[in-house]
Amino acid sequence: MENLFWIGFAGALVAGLFAVLQAKKVLSYSEGNEKMRKIAGSIRAGANAYLKQQYTTVSKVFAVVFIILVVIAFAGDGKILSKFTPFAFLTGGIWSMLAGYIGMKIATNSNARTAHAASESLDHGLRVAFSSGSVMGFTVVGLGILDITLWFYILHGIFGIDDPIQLGNIMVMNGMGASFMALFARVGGGIYTKAADVGADLVGKVEAGIPEDDPRNPATIADNVGDNVGDVAGMGADLYESYVGSILATFALGAVGGYGWGGLLLPVALAVCGILCSIIGSFLVKTKEHASQKALLRSLRTGTYSAAILSAIFAAPLTYFILGNWGVYIAILCGLAGGCAIGYFTEYYTSDTYKPTQELSGKSQTGAATIIIGGLGLGMLSTAVPIIIVAVCILLAFFLSGGAASAGMGLYGIALAAVGMLSTLGITLATDAYGPVADNAGGIAEMAGLEPEVRKRTDALDSLGNTTAATGKGFAIGSASLTALALLVSYVNIVQDRTVENLNFTLILAIVLVMLGVYFIVRAITGSRKKAGASASWKAGNIQWRSDGGDLPTYSAFFTGTNVKSESRNLMGGTCSATFGRLRVDLSEVSVNHDITLFCNAIFGQVTVSAPKGVRIVCKNVPILGGVQLLADSLSSDANAPTVTFDCTSVLGGVTIL
């Protein structure tokens, strides 16, 4: 399987060629009259000045971090940190920076061309703006897959690293630099974007009473600059990090899960497949003159959904050929379907063609306060469905890929779900980067004094761009949550591989918190409330006593109070968990014949355990705004007595061992 990694170079080449062709296509159009070219030049100069200042500052921070990583890696002779890590960190940041820069350059060269194209037809303007966004999208995926493939051949081909686990653990560090760059680009660019946007509105519409993008407003150029540096360069760096991080995390988890070279090859193959499908989908984006917002949304949705469906079809034979595991394929489908669903529901809550935004606009009739309150409420409500979608994707991907039998296989499925969601990033990012170009085009049309029909067309494209920008943010956050989980597990595996410390990582806490979140969200949406004075199933009076002879028991209290007495004759271990509840477990009568470990988790709750008699006690605890209380160091003075290790986690809760 390791001989097939050349497909990564093929995918990067195809993505790069398509991006170059799209750039040439955009640059072949006219920028319009002299006034339009002058305005576009001012926006371009402002964006270049911002990025120059940002990259100069970031490069200094990168240099400091790089030196620190070099010292740690080489001073520890590669035992603490791989000697390749500093250089992987550096290349990750450089590639991320380059992707954002290329995307912003083409965007600032496309805004006037989009405005001029809109003077001919709505479809022409849409095609120019979308082609500009395609350059951003396919540059990100092309550079991402190129970076990963290059490092694979450097480590495997040149330095001869033949262990998939070691290779995966080294390469996962490559995402550090991309994450570091994304932090500065996304946060810094986002702050500048919103500051310039609000400042321009205050100066123009609020104080002077002039229209948006009016040439008399000196802050208009800064507003247009912010659209490019925040929503193009910043978003590109952000999604580059998620894209590379998801593939590299899958690298590490695939090797740990026992899939060998096939586990490393599959995410690369899926990424290449997604590139090809995204190219096909991009040709389906088109519309007609005088199209409604719903029709414009449908045209972009046709491209993204077609790419996702094609990826789902081609992923089946790829998965079967490489791994022969259909459960893993279903995990990939979960990611693809989840990404499309997040995009759809984000569109529903942000597009003016649907009821939520229409109702929100009506609140403006009663003043600024009501629309602000309504907007905050709608924004909070809009997060509910994506959270549930991500939670369902995690659970389905984990269990359907074999998580019940092997945690490593289940976690690999979660990582592949993230790869599946990001496999069509080329066209997804194109629809997102399209938005700032359309917004700038509208501003240039206003400042250049073009015909009202042109402004009407650019306003339609701009309105569509606001929706696609929100969709891109939802997609970025949803994919980042899956990637973050995969990276966390990869980190734990690397720490355990490089140290003698045995970290116990389970999904118990994560699953509990996710289920709690889903519970409260559903309660909030449905508005279900219990009547005053009605008895609740979780009140403290709900006490259960039972005898359990199992050797590996699991006891839990979820919004309840529960007492449990065990009489096991050969206790092998177990788990005690209290979530918003109280759990008391009596193990005083059980028999322990050898050393065992009991896991105690208190999440906004209290766990009390009466330890077995005649044993020695060792307590490990991870308190997070919580506490663990051990009321006896040892119950036996016999050095040969079996040891019971209590591995405790408390989050705003407490564990007591009696």
Side-chain angles (χ1 to χ4, degrees), residues 397-470:
F398 181 81
F399 289 107
L400 294 177
S401 58
S406 171
M409 296 172 64
L411 294 168
Y412 180 70
I414 295 175
L416 274 179
V419 175
M421 185 177 291
L422 290 164
S423 61
T424 57
L425 180 62
I427 190 170
T428 303
L429 186 52
T431 60
D432 186 20
Y434 145 90
V437 175
D439 191 0
N440 276 202
I444 292 173
E446 180 70 27
M447 288 184 281
L450 300 183
E451 296 293 328
E453 182 64 24
V454 179
R455 180 65 183 185
K456 183 179 179 180
R457 292 168 179 165
T458 57
D459 282 347
L461 296 175
D462 183 20
S463 179
L464 177 64
N466 290 328
T467 299
T468 59

Side-chain angles (χ1 to χ4, degrees), residues 308-323:
I309 293 172
L310 289 173
S311 294
I313 294 172
F314 293 129
L318 280 176
T319 306
Y320 184 77
F321 172 74
I322 297 174
L323 293 185

Side-chain angles (χ1 to χ4, degrees), residues 370-582:
T370 52
I371 195 169
I372 291 174
I373 295 171
L376 288 172
L378 181 61
M380 293 179 182
L381 183 63
S382 68
T383 64
V385 177
I387 290 174
I388 294 174
I389 291 172
V390 171
V392 171
C393 284
I394 290 174
L395 295 176
L396 288 178
F398 181 81
F399 289 107
L400 294 177
S401 58
S406 171
M409 296 172 64
L411 294 168
Y412 180 70
I414 295 175
L416 274 179
V419 175
M421 185 177 291
L422 290 164
S423 61
T424 57
L425 180 62
I427 190 170
T428 303
L429 186 52
T431 60
D432 186 20
Y434 145 90
V437 175
D439 191 0
N440 276 202
I444 292 173
E446 180 70 27
M447 288 184 281
L450 300 183
E451 296 293 328
E453 182 64 24
V454 179
R455 180 65 183 185
K456 183 179 179 180
R457 292 168 179 165
T458 57
D459 282 347
L461 296 175
D462 183 20
S463 179
L464 177 64
N466 290 328
T467 299
T468 59
T471 301
K473 291 179 176 66
F475 182 83
I477 295 170
S479 60
S481 62
L482 294 176
T483 302
L485 178 58
L487 286 172
L488 175 61
V489 180
S490 300
Y491 165 76
V492 172
N493 290 330
I494 292 170
V495 171
Q496 292 183 153
D497 182 61
R498 293 185 174 274
T499 68
V500 295
E501 191 69 27
N502 184 24
L503 299 180
N504 177 55
F505 181 82
T506 69
L507 286 178
I508 293 177
L509 175 60
I511 291 175
V512 167
L513 293 178
V514 167
M515 296 303 295
L516 280 175
V518 171
Y519 171 79
F520 286 119
I521 289 171
V522 172
R523 291 262 307 185
I525 294 175
T526 59
S528 63
R529 297 291 186 272
K530 292 186 178 294
K531 295 181 179 180
S535 62
S537 62
W538 47 267
K539 61 188 293 186
N542 183 19
I543 307 296
Q544 299 177 5
W545 284 90
R546 65 188 177 95
S547 178
D548 192 338
D551 294 329
L552 285 170
T554 297
Y555 307 117
S556 62
F558 185 69
F559 285 91
T560 187
T562 303
N563 291 343
V564 180
K565 183 177 179 64
S566 178
E567 298 175 353
S568 173
R569 300 276 68 89
N570 183 24
L571 189 66
M572 305 289 291
T575 301
C576 305
S577 301
T579 306
F580 287 96
R582 175 183 56 80

Side-chain angles (χ1 to χ4, degrees), residues 165-190:
I165 295 179
Q166 183 184 5
L167 189 67
N169 288 345
I170 293 174
M171 289 191 64
V172 76
M173 299 296 184
N174 196 31
M176 291 174 57
S179 298
F180 205 76
M181 183 62 217
L183 173 65
F184 287 92
R186 192 72 176 112
V187 177

